[in-house]
Amino acid sequence: MESSGGIQASLGGRYATALFDLARESKAIDAVEASLATVRQALAESADFKALTTSPLLGRIDAAKGVAAVAKELKLDATTTAFLGVLAHNRRLGQLPAIIRAFRGLASRHRGETTAEVTSAHPLTGAQVVELKQQLRQRIGRDVAVELAVDKNLLGGLVVRIGSQMIDSSIRTRLNTLAHAMKG
């Protein structure tokens, strides 16, 4: 598989590439991607799980036991569960967010998609996500997978990142621009 040098260059990228290669060989890319999405959500919602993955005070064995229990509770697939054990053993659980991001990029590229990170002030409905994907597909000329996040500080609108390109239509940015213009 062709992987970009950018993904390979980072520690999280190397782990993500290794996981992707394992998932592809076992024809489990979708299952691993779904499990990683569950892990990503758990990291965002559980302070305890986040502490488990970032605490330097936890030893390898305790961290491995902890992630095994969490994996069982979250009903993660076997490949992802084993991978989390490897990360715990290598003391690399803190790299999980970067690994998840890189894996999603690899999976999207494997499917011929581009990944867009979309931040909105409020959660988007299913219909809004479908419409957004269509608009982005028309703009860039290929299918787009979206990673959704919510930031109430935006007040309204969206911030869309596709690779190094950013489309910022948030109300917060518009207000900041107006304030700068008024200052003269």
Side-chain angles (χ1 to χ4, degrees):
M1 174 189 162
E2 183 275 318
S3 294
S4 78
I7 288 179
Q8 290 274 339
S10 70
L11 179 63
R14 290 193 300 271
Y15 274 98
T17 301
L19 177 60
F20 182 80
D21 290 343
L22 282 173
R24 190 182 57 203
E25 288 171 13
S26 61
K27 300 186 184 339
I29 294 171
D30 292 339
V32 170
E33 191 171 18
S35 288
L36 288 177
T38 302
V39 169
R40 180 175 171 239
Q41 184 176 359
L43 282 170
E45 294 176 356
S46 171
D48 290 338
F49 183 49
K50 187 166 182 77
L52 170 69
T53 63
T54 58
S55 175
L57 301 176
L58 268 153
R60 296 170 196 255
I61 294 170
D62 291 335
K65 286 179 183 176
V67 294
V70 169
K72 184 176 180 182
E73 183 69 28
L74 296 175
K75 296 179 175 75
L76 303 180
D77 71 287
T79 303
T80 305
T81 301
F83 180 74
L84 290 175
V86 169
L87 289 178
H89 178 73
N90 293 341
R91 302 189 64 77
R92 298 292 188 225
L93 287 170
Q95 293 290 316
L96 262 175
I99 292 168
I100 293 168
R101 223 177 0 266
F103 186 91
R104 286 203 52 164
L106 290 167
S108 291
R109 190 168 46 232
H110 178 73
R111 289 189 297 266
E113 297 174 337
T114 299
T115 302
E117 296 174 13
V118 178
T119 306
S120 59
H122 305 285
L124 299 178
T125 66
Q128 289 171 323
V129 172
V130 169
E131 176 65 25
L132 177 61
K133 283 182 177 183
Q134 288 176 340
Q135 294 292 326
L136 292 172
R137 185 177 337 136
Q138 288 174 356
R139 183 177 179 124
I140 64 171
R142 59 194 301 194
D143 286 336
V144 178
V146 294
E147 287 185 24
L148 301 172
V150 175
D151 180 358
K152 297 197 183 298
N153 293 325
L154 293 180
L155 304 175
L158 299 172
V159 176
V160 181
R161 285 185 183 85
I162 302 173
S164 62
Q165 182 182 17
M166 183 170 89
I167 305 163
D168 188 344
S169 66
S170 67
I171 292 175
R172 178 179 64 188
T173 298
R174 290 180 186 178
L175 289 173
N176 287 341
T177 303
L178 181 61
H180 283 354
M182 291 176 70
K183 286 181 183 177

